[in-house]
Amino acid sequence: MALPEVTTVVMPEHGKYDFVRYLTAKKSVDDRALNRRVWQTLREALFAVPTDSALRVLEVGGGIGTMIERMLDWGLLPGDAEITMIDAHPENIIEASRRLPTWAIMNGFSVHEEAGGSIRLFRGRQEVRVVLEACDLFDFIARERGRTAWHLILAHAFMDLMNISETLSLLASLAVRYGLLYFSINFDGVTALEPATRQDLDGQIELLYHRTMDERLTAGRPSGDSHSGRRLFEHVRALGARILDAGGSDWVVFSRGGAYPHDEAYFLHFIVQTIHSALKGSPQLSMADLDEWAARRHEQIDRGELVYIAHQLDLAAQLNTR
Ligand SMILES: C[S@@+](CC[C@H](N)C(=O)[O-])C[C@H]1O[C@@H](n2cnc3c(N)ncnc32)[C@H](O)[C@@H]1O
């Protein structure tokens, strides 16, 4: 589930929560969740792309670059590639520029950081050039349309924040003729937190939280909805694209022996805080009940009891092949 682009949220009882750390903590949750069959379908399609030069990949809303690490780690790219990753928030790009070279060296790449800010990675016969840019997607599209065309355009935990039909057709305008699209971790209507606090209240909070997604406006335009995953099918088909594969990529977060893996307790606190802040001021809820709910949820995390499930979908498609 993509969360709105807050950079920091303040949690009175738990100090300050930081978006970069949240994205870092999210990596292991996403690693478990991503649909491996959809990934493999995309990989096969990429290996079939006829290119005499490097494959051009564009990632939008890439955060701190964890998907670039995953593409390299999980062997998504058939050979040489040029990856451009943009994100609206400079602090995310700064963190991506900091962590990618370190990650690459630890994973057997030689790293060459170029004067203009791009990073070249070499391993075996593969060379991957990465360009990271702090830029709003719509400014980027306005600048690049007609100048560059990408073989693969991807967005991870992002499309459910956007006006999907508008964003999709703009993104498609940046692709090569039979370009590939990959949209992963698209929220699809279910948030489950167990065990219950108060059953009537838990259900109401889920309902109202999803409603905040349905009613979200960015620059006065509807952006995202609580069933983005399933709605992607019709939007992608309306583009004239063929869906190559789709499948579930639910987040399932639980402790083992009372301890959450990696930094996933932080991830959970951040999720609870996000729901709490989204519903602050809601006329349909008592604020005392909401505060009490959030306090119970944070305590459940501290005790290793909370189980969190968010239903999401991944989808891979190819343009102009319908
Ligand atoms: C939920 S985060 C996901 C980040 C990353 N894909 C990940 O999963 O780790 C959504 C990201 O989209 C970025 N974003 C939101 N609106 C954007 C826009 N209009 N242009 C570029 N990036 C945007 C935010 O800064 C944020 O990093």
Side-chain angles (χ1 to χ4, degrees), residues 6 52 55 89 120 169 172 208 246 248 288 291 293 297 299 305:
V6 286
D52 40 20
L55 191 87
H89 285 286
R120 278 185 196 275
S169 54
L208 293 173
D291 292 347
W293 173 88
R297 292 307 190 191
E299 285 163 15
E305 280 173 13

Side-chain angles (χ1 to χ4, degrees), residues 1-5 19 22-24 26 30 59-67 86-89 92 135-138 155-158 160-162:
M1 175 176 59
L3 295 175
E5 65 234 65
F19 195 60
Y22 161 74
L23 291 181
T24 309
K26 189 167 85 66
D30 287 344
E59 182 181 4
V60 299
I64 59 167
T66 49
M67 187 50 110
I86 63 160
D87 194 280
H89 285 286
N92 292 343
C135 187
D136 178 80
L137 171 62
F138 301 102
H156 176 73
F158 179 75
D160 51 12
L161 291 173
M162 309 308 284

Side-chain angles (χ1 to χ4, degrees), residues 38 51 75 100 108 117 146 154 161 164-165 167 205 210 212 240 275-276 289 292 295 300 309:
V38 178
T51 48
L100 183 62
L154 68 109
L161 291 173
I164 298 183
S165 67
T167 307
I205 284 177
H210 293 175
T212 65
I275 298 172
H276 192 179
D289 279 353
E292 173 71 9
Q300 288 176 334
I309 300 166

Side-chain angles (χ1 to χ4, degrees), residues 145-282:
R145 198 166 24 191
R147 282 179 52 185
T148 319
W150 278 271
H151 298 99
L152 167 65
I153 298 177
L154 68 109
H156 176 73
F158 179 75
M159 290 307 279
D160 51 12
L161 291 173
M162 309 308 284
N163 181 306
I164 298 183
S165 67
E166 189 177 89
T167 307
L168 261 182
S169 54
L170 288 169
L171 282 177
S173 72
L174 295 183
V176 299
R177 179 132 195 261
Y178 296 111
L180 293 161
L181 304 174
Y182 176 58
F183 303 120
S184 42
I185 309 286
N186 301 289
F187 184 65
D188 194 52
V190 180
T191 303
L193 293 159
E194 294 288 334
T197 57
R198 251 178 47 198
Q199 230 135 33
D200 57 327
L201 184 62
D202 290 347
Q204 197 190 10
I205 284 177
E206 183 187 355
L207 190 87
L208 293 173
Y209 177 52
H210 293 175
R211 196 172 294 163
T212 65
M213 301 179 194
D214 296 328
E215 293 172 352
R216 190 190 302 131
L217 297 175
T218 306
R221 307 263 304 129
S223 52
D225 73 60
S226 62
H227 292 80
S228 299
R230 71 194 64 178
R231 303 231 162 90
L232 262 178
F233 289 83
E234 69 195 69
H235 291 306
V236 166
R237 287 190 177 123
L239 278 180
R242 182 162 65 97
I243 294 168
L244 301 178
D245 211 343
S249 53
D250 295 358
W251 280 339
V252 183
V253 185
F254 59 100
S255 69
R256 282 82 165 156
Y260 294 97
H262 308 284
D263 203 17
E264 294 182 19
Y266 189 90
F267 168 88
L268 290 173
H269 282 303
F270 195 100
I271 294 284
V272 169
Q273 172 58 25
T274 301
I275 298 172
H276 192 179
S277 336
L279 294 179
K280 271 254 151 65
S282 166

